[in-house]
Amino acid sequence: MTEEIDDAAERQFAEEIADQVESFLLALRAIGAEGDTGSAVPLLLLEVSQVLLAGARLGAQRDFEPREEYQPDVGPEADVDELRLRLADILGDADTYSFVFDPYDPEIVVSQLSDDLTSIAADLENGLRHYRLGDADEALWWWQFSYVSNWGNLAGAALNALLTVVAHDRLDAEFTGE
């Protein structure tokens, strides 16, 4: 009986993560398609924050294990190059930023938000393809593995960069009141 409950809870968890992933991917594409420079950064800040919640939930779980040594084929990866170019155009000068990749072995890395956001999207989309094909176990394993190994760090760095842009926009403005 416990195994059935765990399976049901795990299926529910996978569904919740899949919903958060799909929401992020839809929003990222919509932001890229809209091309509104003025709203892009705050919206990206919101979306990255929300997908990091999904990542934190994955990181707090037991380690998911793949059933097989090799990942099942779920077809070709999504082509995110057009999205990357649109985001780079929208972000303009704010696209390039720097961050410390590993705070325990500090080295400053220069990156582009457009590259990092589309790398995150590619990782998340891969897990979503597994989920949509009915393989929730593989999806959870992939999302958790890629969160810890790649997209979690990129999303954290992107969040900091986006917050910095918003902070400069809001705090660097001259105050004209009393």
Side-chain angles (χ1 to χ4, degrees):
M1 184 69 163
T2 304
E3 190 170 312
E4 287 178 26
I5 292 171
D6 289 345
D7 287 345
E10 196 167 288
R11 280 193 306 275
Q12 177 66 32
F13 181 69
E15 184 177 329
E16 291 169 4
I17 298 297
D19 288 346
Q20 289 179 284
V21 164
E22 191 161 27
S23 176
F24 174 79
L25 294 172
L26 288 169
L28 189 62
R29 289 183 186 110
I31 292 165
E34 180 137 336
D36 182 356
T37 304
S39 66
V41 169
L43 290 174
L44 289 169
L45 176 64
L46 175 64
E47 294 304 326
V48 171
S49 296
Q50 289 179 334
V51 82
L52 273 168
L53 174 58
R57 292 180 69 204
L58 287 160
Q61 298 294 313
R62 65 167 175 79
D63 284 349
F64 295 106
E65 297 289 331
R67 285 186 312 279
E68 299 178 23
E69 185 177 353
Y70 299 102
Q71 189 179 140
D73 184 16
V74 289
E77 291 184 8
D79 183 5
V80 294
D81 199 46
E82 186 178 323
L83 175 60
R84 182 186 61 76
L85 293 172
R86 285 195 313 263
L87 289 171
D89 186 48
I90 292 166
L91 292 166
D93 291 340
D95 192 30
T96 300
Y97 72 109
S98 59
F99 67 99
V100 175
F101 185 78
D102 182 348
Y104 296 103
D105 186 14
E107 176 182 333
I108 295 178
V109 176
V110 176
S111 193
Q112 282 72 40
L113 282 166
S114 56
D115 288 345
D116 294 348
L117 292 168
T118 53
S119 178
I120 295 164
D123 280 348
L124 294 172
E125 195 273 335
N126 186 46
L128 191 58
R129 284 184 287 140
H130 287 288
Y131 181 80
R132 287 179 175 160
L133 290 173
D135 196 347
D137 292 336
E138 187 70 24
L140 286 171
W141 175 82
W142 176 255
W143 284 323
Q144 186 182 60
F145 169 77
S146 62
Y147 168 72
V148 173
S149 66
N150 186 49
W151 74 262
N153 198 355
L154 292 179
L159 181 74
N160 190 34
L162 292 163
L163 178 58
T164 300
V165 172
V166 169
H168 281 297
D169 183 53
R170 304 260 164 78
L171 301 176
D172 292 349
E174 290 186 32
F175 182 72
T176 58
E178 290 183 27

